Amino acid sequence: MSKLKVKINDKELSIEKGTTLYDAIKKSGYEEKIPIVLGKISGEYYELTSTIEENSEIEVVNITDKLGSKTFIRTLQFILIKSVFDLFPEAQITIEHSLSKGLFGEIHKDTPLTEEDIHKIKIRMNEIIQKNIEIKKVSMDRKKAIEIFSMYKMEDKVRLLNHVNTATVKLYELDGRYDYFYGSMAYSTGIINLFDLEYYEPGFLLKYPIETDPFNIPRSAEYKKLSKIFRETEQWGNILDVGDVGSLNDKVEDNEIIDIIRVAEALHEKKIAYIADMISERKNVKIVLIAGPSSSGKTTFARRLGIQLRVNGLMPIPISLDDYFVDREHTPKDGNGEYDFESIYALDLKLFNKNLEQLLNYEEIEIPSFNFKTGSREWTNQKIKLPSNGVLIIEGIHGLNEMLTNVIPKESKFKIYISALTQLNVDNHNRIATTDVRIIRRIVRDYLSRGYGGEDTLKMWPSIKRGEEKNIFVFQENADVMFNSTLVYELCVLKQYALKELEKISSQSPVYYEALRLKSFLHFFKSVDMELVPDNSILREFIGGSCFYKY
């Protein structure tokens, strides 16, 4: 065999052509306290099972890298799945959603899951990790893969593969157990150096280190309200008879999608009406605060809630927090010296609270208007007064933070947290992150209404996410009620627009691999015509055609 020259993190060595990345890194003697999960050749990511076919410069990738972290977590999931089936062969395991810096899932078996079961599974996981078993990537005929998953009684994967158009599929094999995952996998089980598995009624919480702290597992916290809304969402999926992408695609092919859309929208309307009833029953409530992360559908939700409040005899009076920005020169700055418009101190809290007190005393006030072009406040003789049956509707990222309305009695306020919390996953073992649904919504809206390309949106997203972590997520449990704005069918509609933008992103872009990841799960969805979406749907906030406002 011919010899190749490679450089691995500045160390040069000679290897045989066809050597795997894993063996080359091992031969180089490169050691890393943080688990190495992937390799980079000429800027491109590769699994460590990949072979080296030409002279190359190789960079090792550990779990402080975003893609490396996802690979670590995916590998840990496979070990968990294998362990569950080793101990409970007839069980079914579902990995459902993120929770408390980990992954929540359930194990469905003849008897309810117990803490003792979790203890046994954790022991088995450690045994598999200690054996350092190689994880093999296998190319297989699609029909053969369907036979395997039929034998496993995994109807979710059978449904998914029935809608895949390729003749062959890539599976991963761990000690005789096959599974399908979209995304890269580590070379072997021994890569997992740190994890935890906790009982979290009625399922489990899988914990792992995060990118910014690879040596520790984040502490768990209680998210009772968030857990409750996820359970409600699961019930909605049962009502719709749609638990995964395969079952949704079945509905599209069987021309049942119109009914799915109608029922999904009706579930939204029923919950909004329920929230309006809660507000009406609390006679002291005069201020409704609506907060949630980017692309949650806050604006449409506020309009629809206003209609339901009017049905209950209340008059909604909207106030925009944007009009209470301080003049540009007084805006606080972040650590990079840039204006931090998401800081709560970017708002004139003193004037805002004064105006709220005046309105609650039924005084007529003039509210400011903020000119974003000049970066300064203007007074345009815009006056409002709260009628006796009035309720102020305030939408903004700081709505759940008590600092925003610190002089207003708590009994006068009703707080709502709204977010797009994923309603279905690709299959039982491949989740679609909550964040991903919002990213897709944002890409489509930015493209259709704001002239931003998908690449621009993906580049902005990390900054948006940091602001959400700091200003929204930490306060979500303060809400009186939560609302999940995701619609089970929405990715079928958003797909065509999102893919058009994602396809434009070149391999040279810093967000190329993020675009690849998003495209990989969007391709699983069958397309649905946007004309089927009602004009009052939250989805119209992102695709246009809303009855509440124009782009």
Side-chain angles (χ1 to χ4, degrees), residues 34 37-38 40 45 59-71 211-212:
I34 304 171
V37 285
L38 298 170
K40 260 187 181 181
Y45 288 88
E59 180 184 344
V60 299
V61 177
N62 62 35
I63 63 173
T64 62
D65 177 277
K66 185 175 182 179
L67 205 61
S69 177
K70 289 182 183 297
T71 301
E211 295 166 47
T212 53

Side-chain angles (χ1 to χ4, degrees), residues 203-408:
F204 62 84
L205 201 58
L206 183 64
K207 304 297 293 282
Y208 40 79
I210 58 176
E211 295 166 47
T212 53
D213 187 6
F215 299 112
N216 296 289
I217 293 174
R219 291 178 62 184
S220 295
E222 277 289 328
Y223 290 96
K224 291 181 179 179
K225 292 175 182 175
L226 192 61
S227 296
K228 183 179 178 181
I229 201 71
F230 274 123
R231 285 195 294 273
E232 178 188 78
T233 299
E234 186 177 351
Q235 292 169 357
W236 286 7
N238 292 335
I239 291 168
L240 293 162
D241 191 27
V242 176
D244 50 61
V245 174
S247 57
L248 177 61
N249 286 338
D250 286 345
K251 302 291 186 186
V252 176
E253 286 202 343
D254 295 341
N255 294 315
E256 296 178 33
I257 193 63
I258 294 177
D259 285 340
I260 293 296
I261 291 172
R262 286 171 180 159
V263 177
E265 295 289 349
L267 286 166
H268 265 192
E269 195 62 38
K270 186 173 183 179
K271 181 63 182 283
I272 294 169
Y274 166 73
I275 294 171
D277 290 346
M278 288 179 69
I279 295 167
S280 301
E281 288 167 4
R282 299 190 188 183
K283 303 301 182 182
N284 292 326
V285 169
K286 286 294 180 180
I287 299 174
V288 175
L289 296 142
I290 302 168
S294 174
S295 303
S296 293
K298 296 183 288 293
T299 304
T300 303
F301 171 82
R303 299 290 184 89
R304 287 174 63 172
L305 178 65
I307 291 171
Q308 291 294 340
L309 289 171
R310 290 182 67 181
V311 169
N312 288 352
L314 298 176
M315 180 57 66
I317 307 294
I319 290 185
S320 174
L321 279 177
D322 285 355
D323 287 327
Y324 285 88
F325 274 121
V326 296
D327 289 342
R328 188 71 41 83
E329 64 267 24
H330 300 305
T331 303
K333 294 182 178 180
D334 61 20
N336 298 319
E338 302 291 333
Y339 286 122
D340 185 2
F341 297 110
E342 293 187 337
S343 167
I344 194 167
Y345 298 108
L347 299 172
D348 189 337
L349 299 177
K350 185 176 180 181
L351 176 63
F352 181 65
N353 278 271
K354 178 184 176 183
N355 283 172
L356 291 183
E357 286 186 302
Q358 290 171 320
L359 287 167
L360 294 183
N361 288 326
Y362 300 104
E363 298 175 27
E364 183 179 71
I365 67 163
E366 181 182 0
I367 60 172
S369 176
F370 191 79
N371 187 322
F372 284 90
K373 289 184 178 180
T374 63
S376 58
R377 177 183 299 159
E378 296 177 350
W379 297 94
T380 58
N381 202 33
Q382 183 184 357
K383 296 182 179 180
I384 60 171
K385 184 178 181 181
L386 189 68
S388 59
N389 65 338
V391 178
L392 297 173
I393 307 292
I394 302 167
E395 172 213 325
I397 65 170
H398 299 291
L400 304 183
N401 186 344
E402 196 61 27
M403 281 182 64
L404 179 70
T405 53
N406 63 316
V407 303
I408 307 301

Side-chain angles (χ1 to χ4, degrees), residues 68-130:
S69 177
K70 289 182 183 297
T71 301
F72 181 94
I73 295 166
R74 194 175 296 111
T75 305
L76 180 59
Q77 288 177 224
F78 198 6
I79 294 168
L80 169 63
I81 292 162
K82 165 69 174 165
S83 300
V84 169
F85 288 127
D86 283 353
L87 294 170
F88 309 105
E90 299 302 315
Q92 290 293 329
I93 175 172
T94 57
I95 295 171
E96 298 175 15
H97 54 77
S98 59
L99 187 69
S100 189
K101 301 291 185 182
L103 289 176
F104 173 80
E106 295 184 70
I107 297 169
H108 308 276
K109 55 190 184 71
D110 291 341
T111 57
L113 188 69
T114 64
E115 290 191 43
E116 180 61 26
D117 292 333
I118 292 296
H119 180 66
K120 290 177 182 177
I121 294 167
K122 187 175 177 180
I123 290 173
R124 180 59 185 148
M125 290 176 71
N126 277 310
E127 289 172 352
I128 292 172
I129 291 166
Q130 290 300 316

Side-chain angles (χ1 to χ4, degrees), residues 520-537:
S520 67
F521 77 77
L522 281 174
H523 281 301
F524 289 119
F525 289 83
K526 296 282 183 184
S527 293
V528 168
D529 192 338
M530 69 176 288
E531 296 302 320
L532 298 177
V533 182
D535 64 1
N536 71 336
S537 173

Side-chain angles (χ1 to χ4, degrees), residues 77 94-98 103-105 156 159-160 182 230 242-248 421-434 436-437 488 491 521 524-525:
Q77 288 177 224
T94 57
I95 295 171
E96 298 175 15
H97 54 77
S98 59
L103 289 176
F104 173 80
D156 56 312
R159 284 191 296 268
L160 183 71
Y182 77 90
F230 274 123
V242 176
D244 50 61
V245 174
S247 57
L248 177 61
L421 304 168
T422 310
Q423 195 158 320
L424 84 166
N425 289 326
V426 173
D427 59 33
N428 287 344
H429 302 162
N430 288 275
R431 59 182 287 269
I432 298 173
T434 295
D436 289 344
V437 176
V488 72
L491 289 176
F521 77 77
F524 289 119
F525 289 83

